[in-house]
Structures are given as structure tokens and as C-alpha cells.
Amino acid sequence: MSALTRSPAWQALETHALTARRLSLRTLFREDPARFETHSLVAGPLFIDWSKHLVTRETWQLLLSLARQQGLESAIGDLFGGTLVNHTERRAALHTALRDRSGQAVLLDGHDVMPGVRDVLARMRRFSDAIRDGSLRGHTGLPFDVVVNIGIGGSDLGPLMVVEALRAHMRDDLRVRFVSNVDDTHLVETLRDLDPARTLFIVSSKTFTTQETMTNAASARQWLVTSLGDEAAVGAHFAAVSTNVGATAEFGIPADRVFEFWDWVGGRYSLWSAIGLPIAIAVGMDRFEALLEGAHAMDQHFRSAPLEINGPVVLGLLGVWYTNFLGCATHAVLPYDQYLHRLPAYLQQLDMESSGKRIDRAGSPVEHATGPVLWGEAGTNGQHAFFQLLHQGTQMVPADFIVAARGARQLGRHHDILLANCLAQTQALAFGKTESEARGEMERAGVPTEEARRLAPYRTFPGNRPSTTILLESLTPASLGALIALYEHRVYVQSVIWEINPFDQWGVELGKQLAGGVLSILETGQDRGGMDGSTLGLLSRIAKAGAISPIQGDP
Ligand code: F6P
């Protein structure tokens, strides 16, 4: 057993979990009429109801003891203070500085990073304003009517999710599209109906070496040059966001179109940096800054609220409770908001690239579970797809329901129906329906007694399925910023408890490395040896389909 799993706080939680897994939410609510008040909190512009969780006062005290034992309070200070929390890459993780609106210095190695941050924001404002007002034009003198962001992972998911979320603020005459997949269909389908003379590309890549992005960027460049018939068009139709300014120059992007960020910004934490340029162009820089303000409000809450009423801490500790003590392997995120339809995909990278770790900070394998599989879909669509498993399956899946009190569009009864469904689902999950309730209901509806008895087990809902409801007053740039920062900090809280580094991602390297070897066989037909039988067999099938030249030595 590791020191963590042997520790008194951990052991106490394990013992407590033996009885807690039998808790009844019906009983907890019946016995404590103030449960909603004591199990809800305000975090910046968000209201968080965590009363429908399988926790008692004792559970909560034990989780807080675990947090204190793991030094959570000082770890929060380390994050904001520029400590090298990303110890494997010897880097700080100062994404909070990107949205720091306090006017105070943020020191990294004794150097204030804020003047650089403000300088890039000012450049983003000038550039996005000029695209939006049409004063910055393409090679042939036409204003741009579409911006295509080329990036992947953190250089795609964040801006894409936010642009979708803020679509209500977009203009019809300026579209923003995203290309990420190296599958050529993504680029081809994205460019198909575009006018090259009115298209601006932003190549977004922290490293400017990512294979997918560089391949897409090269093909986009060729499309542009071929269509406009002039190599010189590249400078007018491309911008870049990167930490690798040498490589952007080599691509042919003029320095005044290159927006810098820094190695202390992790890819999946980068939408607050110039990686957010497509957002600024889509909805205007004022709204981008409002997004930063919202995130900053959550940062202040996370830094200053006592652990007991600290949103990211509460959500993080609940995550630890379910993952480590109640054996939940997955976590669902269910935005009841069509504008947030890409939030689960975005959170998958944020959460799973951060928490999918098996080696602790001391370099030893962990002996406890770490990040659960995060998944989700916009409500109410999910209700008609996978909610069956949430309600009556054999696994417990803690779920986050996210909804705005006021809808963005005021169309008929739509928003009332959406809200009603959201709240009803959390009710059904928590309180279920007993077998005798199911039978009684059917009998009252005229179903013959015998038939009602036969069907009752199938129509029973066990309940006690936990959920959090995150309520926004309305979906605005500020509330969205706060929501994203809430999840970022939740990930950090869990990493502190689990003693893992949430800021590296070595697990993505091996596949990239091996792809090089496979690609070389695909393109040359030559196997230099060492390839496994399965991969060679598949390559041979691909060759036989006529897609590539025969593999050397293949019969
Ligand atoms: O492959 C994973 C990853 O490194 C992510 O962490 C990152 O967001 C993505 O690739 C894209 O990287 P880049 O911005 O350097 O192109």
C-alpha cells in the first residue's frame, strides 16, 4: 500500500464508504430539511447544487481531512504563485495569469509576466477589430468573410467550444470554422464552399510541429496559392498562434501576424491566450475579455473561499469520493444547453489528458484509481440515447447537469420544457421509483393486477444516483468563462489529492512515434524489420485493397 492509501484520512474514508454506499437520498432529504441550503454554494456567477450526492456530514468532514492532509490549501497557492507545478517538464502552469484582471504583477522566476500578457491582448484586439470592420483585407483587396482555424487538441477544442457556445453573438457575415483532423475530408469539406480571396487562416499550434496541424496548414496554403495564383498571398491570408515563432516565420507568416504565447501555458489550458483569437474575431474582443473576467472571478473564488464552500474543491472532492471510494469509473457531463454541445468534448481533453496518469509525483506507480472516463452530450438528446443506463443500468455514473435559468432565445415554451427536463432527470436519478410505487401507478392506470406485478420490476428506478446541478443565470461570456475555470480547478484539486501531475501528457507520445514507422512502410512499401505481425497483416490488407504499393516481401 502507498503512503496515501495507508494514510489515516484515506483509511477512514474507506471504512466510511462501506456504509455510505447504502445511503438513501430520500432519507437524507427527509431527515434534513435544510439539506439544499447546506449543500449548495455560489461560485462567481455560478450556483452549484450538490445536495443530490451520496454524502453525509461525516463524509464531508472526512473528505476535507483528506484535502488538508494532502496540503490542498498550499497547493492552490503554488498554482497561482508560479511554482513549477508541472514538475516533469519543469514548468509553472500560469494559465490564471492570462485572465488576471487585478492589475497586480504575476511573478515567474522574479519576472512579471503581465506586461507580455497585456501586450498580446492589445494586439489581438487590433487584429480582430480590423478583421471585423473589414479594414484588414486579403491579397486581392476583399474583406474576409470567413476565418478557418487550423489546430488540434488544446489548439482547437477550446476555441471551437467557446465559439459554439457564444454563437448568439456572432454576425452572419463573418463565419468561423475549425479544421483539426488530418483526415483530408475535414479540410476539403471545410473549404468546399469558401472563396479563397475572402478566407483567413489561423494556424494555431503551441509547438508548430504537430503533424495533423502542419499537414492541414500546408494543404490550406497550397489551396490558397493555387486559387489566387500568387505565393505572396500567404502573408495576407495566414496568421499564426504559437510559442515557436521561428517555425511560423519559416512557414511564411509575417511577424505582425504571429501571436505569441508561452511554455507556462499548457495546450488544454490555452484558450485564454492568443489561442482564443478565433473567439475574439467571432464575437469581438470585448466579449473575449468578458470571458476572461468570468474565469478570473472563478480564480478569485478558488483562491479565497474556504474549502467547505469552494466550488472547485467541492466538485473535486466529490470526484475523489466516487472514483476512489464508491468505485465509479466514469463521469457524465450533461449540458442542458445546445450552445454548450461541444463542452463534453472539450472537457474530455481537459480532464482525461490531465488526470489519465499512473505515476505519482515521486515517480512511483499509484495504488489508487485516477481520472474517470468523462463523457456526455447535450440534454435533452442524451435522454433519448443513453439515460436508460444512467437510470437503470448496473453502474453508478455521477453526472453534472448544467443549465441556464434564462434561455438565450425566447422561443415559445422551449426553455421551460428544457429546464423541466433537466430538473426532472436529476430528481429521477436521485429519488427513483420503488417497485410498489411502480405497481400502484400501473394499477391506478387500469393495468390488471397480475400484469402490473409482472412489469413492476422493469419499471422500478433504484434512485440514489448522484448528480450536481450547475445553474447559470444565463449563458454569457462571463458565466462561460467561470464555468470553464471551475472545471480546470476541479481537475487540479483532484490531482493534488491523487499526487499526480495534471499538466504533462507523455501518454500521447508513443502513438505519434510509432505512426512515423507505419507511415514510412505505407509510403515506401519497405519494412525495415521489427514491425509486429498484426500491423504488418493490416498493412498487407491495405496494399491488397490497392490503396498503397505492395509491401516488400509480401506474397
Ligand atoms: O497530442 C496532445 C497535444 O500535445 C495536446 O496536449 C495539445 O493540445 C495538442 O497536442 C496540440 O498541440 P500543439 O498546440 O502544439 O499543436
Side-chain angles (χ1 to χ4, degrees):
M1 252 197 283
S2 68
L4 172 58
T5 54
R6 253 193 343 258
S7 68
W10 191 278
Q11 290 281 313
L13 277 159
E14 278 197 340
T15 309
H16 175 67
L18 297 175
T19 47
R21 58 179 76 244
R22 289 195 296 276
L23 284 172
S24 151
L25 283 168
R26 286 190 186 206
T27 311
L28 290 174
F29 272 89
R30 196 173 47 241
E31 288 178 350
D32 179 7
R35 184 171 173 87
F36 173 73
E37 281 71 35
T38 52
H39 292 72
S40 56
L41 59 95
V42 174
L46 310 181
F47 180 84
I48 302 174
D49 168 21
W50 57 285
S51 59
K52 294 192 189 91
H53 278 285
L54 293 173
V55 291
T56 61
R57 260 180 237 283
E58 186 188 354
T59 322
W60 197 237
Q61 288 316 317
L62 293 173
L63 285 167
L64 286 171
S65 303
L66 178 65
R68 296 206 168 93
Q69 171 191 288
Q70 295 303 94
L72 180 59
E73 277 152 320
S74 65
I76 294 173
D78 291 345
L79 177 71
F80 287 91
T83 304
L84 303 188
V85 286
N86 179 356
H87 74 290
T88 52
E89 297 179 306
R90 298 186 200 286
R91 287 177 187 160
L94 269 179
H95 43 282
T96 51
L98 299 168
R99 57 214 191 199
D100 192 313
R101 320 296 286 170
S102 68
Q104 312 269 310
V106 175
L107 298 180
L108 180 63
D109 290 336
H111 163 79
D112 183 9
V113 301
M114 290 312 295
V117 169
R118 282 191 283 269
D119 179 51
V120 172
L121 285 173
R123 291 189 54 222
M124 285 172 70
R125 178 175 288 279
R126 283 197 294 277
F127 189 74
S128 55
D129 281 356
I131 301 290
R132 286 170 66 81
D133 68 20
S135 55
L136 196 68
R137 294 175 173 232
H139 185 64
T140 65
L142 290 173
F144 297 107
D145 68 357
V146 61
V147 175
V148 178
N149 188 77
I150 301 177
I152 197 164
S155 302
D156 167 74
L157 287 164
L160 166 58
M161 180 271 287
V162 173
V163 165
E164 286 298 305
L166 301 181
R167 201 159 261 289
H169 303 286
M170 278 179 75
R171 294 187 340 213
D172 290 339
D173 62 345
L174 186 55
R175 294 161 294 164
V176 178
R177 292 185 180 176
F178 292 83
V179 174
S180 52
N181 200 327
V182 74
D183 183 342
D184 50 12
T185 56
H186 200 181
L187 183 69
V188 170
E189 290 298 334
T190 304
L191 301 185
R192 205 147 76 126
D193 58 345
L194 301 188
D195 175 358
R198 295 164 65 89
T199 302
L200 175 76
F201 291 100
I202 303 177
V203 186
S204 292
S205 174
K206 181 174 171 181
T207 54
F208 227 74
T209 57
T210 303
Q211 188 181 42
E212 292 90 335
T213 301
M214 298 329 295
T215 306
N216 277 325
S219 298
R221 187 186 205 278
Q222 199 178 355
W223 173 84
L224 183 91
V225 171
T226 309
S227 321
L228 298 186
D230 190 352
E231 189 74 24
V234 172
H237 286 260
F238 274 83
V241 182
S242 186
T243 58
N244 185 355
V245 284
T248 57
E250 230 167 85
F251 188 90
I253 302 176
D256 64 342
R257 299 273 179 108
V258 176
F259 297 83
E260 188 196 2
F261 67 114
W262 306 272
D263 70 358
W264 42 264
V265 181
R268 54 194 173 276
Y269 298 86
S270 63
L271 74 85
W272 321 102
S273 70
I275 289 289
L277 188 59
I279 304 171
I281 295 174
V283 298
M285 193 64 189
D286 287 347
R287 293 195 180 90
F288 181 72
E289 296 215 12
L291 183 84
L292 303 184
E293 299 274 359
H296 180 58
M298 184 57 67
D299 293 342
Q300 285 174 308
H301 166 82
F302 184 46
R303 270 182 107 160
S304 60
L307 297 187
E308 294 80 352
I309 50 165
N310 189 312
V313 172
V314 170
L315 297 193
L317 292 180
L318 287 170
V320 168
W321 173 236
Y322 290 110
T323 304
N324 300 108
F325 301 101
L326 295 192
C328 300
T330 85
H331 180 98
V333 176
L334 307 165
Y336 272 64
D337 196 313
Q338 187 59 26
Y339 281 135
L340 292 178
H341 72 114
R342 292 300 288 165
L343 183 69
Y346 164 78
L347 291 179
Q348 277 179 332
Q349 187 199 13
L350 173 65
D351 200 298
M352 290 161 78
E353 205 166 75
S354 301
S355 303
K357 309 288 163 66
R358 52 180 288 282
I359 301 296
D360 70 15
R361 288 190 158 271
S364 305
V366 296
E367 293 182 9
H368 51 274
T370 57
V373 174
L374 188 146
W375 58 287
E377 167 68 70
T380 58
N381 295 3
Q383 284 175 219
H384 297 272
F386 52 77
F387 271 48
Q388 166 66 38
L389 183 147
L390 300 186
H391 288 292
Q392 289 189 318
T394 53
Q395 302 184 36
M396 187 196 287
V397 182
D400 297 346
F401 286 76
I402 303 166
V403 71
R406 272 189 287 111
R409 311 282 185 183
Q410 313 277 326
L411 185 63
R413 298 171 67 215
H414 286 251
H415 196 67
D416 288 349
I417 295 172
L418 183 74
L419 271 169
N421 274 281
C422 177
L423 300 185
Q425 289 297 326
T426 69
Q427 253 182 329
L429 287 166
F431 307 119
K433 185 189 284 180
T434 64
E435 195 167 326
S436 75
E437 285 169 346
R439 207 170 48 232
E441 237 175 43
M442 281 187 280
E443 284 172 1
R444 280 193 298 282
V447 177
T449 311
E450 194 43 39
E451 182 67 352
R453 210 158 49 128
R454 187 178 75 81
L455 288 178
Y458 300 102
R459 305 188 71 160
T460 297
F461 292 70
N464 299 318
R465 310 245 155 155
S467 69
T468 304
T469 303
I470 302 175
L471 187 64
L472 288 62
E473 204 176 296
S474 58
L475 180 64
T476 61
S479 62
L480 178 64
L483 181 68
I484 302 167
L486 172 75
Y487 276 97
E488 284 181 351
H489 294 321
R490 172 184 180 271
V491 166
Y492 183 67
V493 168
Q494 293 181 342
S495 78
V496 173
I497 307 293
W498 289 331
E499 301 179 349
I500 55 171
N501 178 2
F503 298 116
D504 61 12
Q505 58 283 320
W506 304 99
V508 300
E509 296 302 328
L510 179 60
K512 289 185 193 172
Q513 230 175 31
L514 297 181
V518 177
L519 186 60
S520 140
I521 301 181
L522 279 167
E523 291 181 342
T524 64
Q526 285 184 15
D527 169 25
R528 288 174 211 273
M531 197 54 77
D532 66 277
S534 165
T535 310
L536 268 183
L538 291 167
L539 283 166
S540 156
R541 295 291 302 188
I542 294 167
K544 285 189 179 118
I548 55 170
S549 44
I551 310 287
Q552 222 177 37
D554 210 19

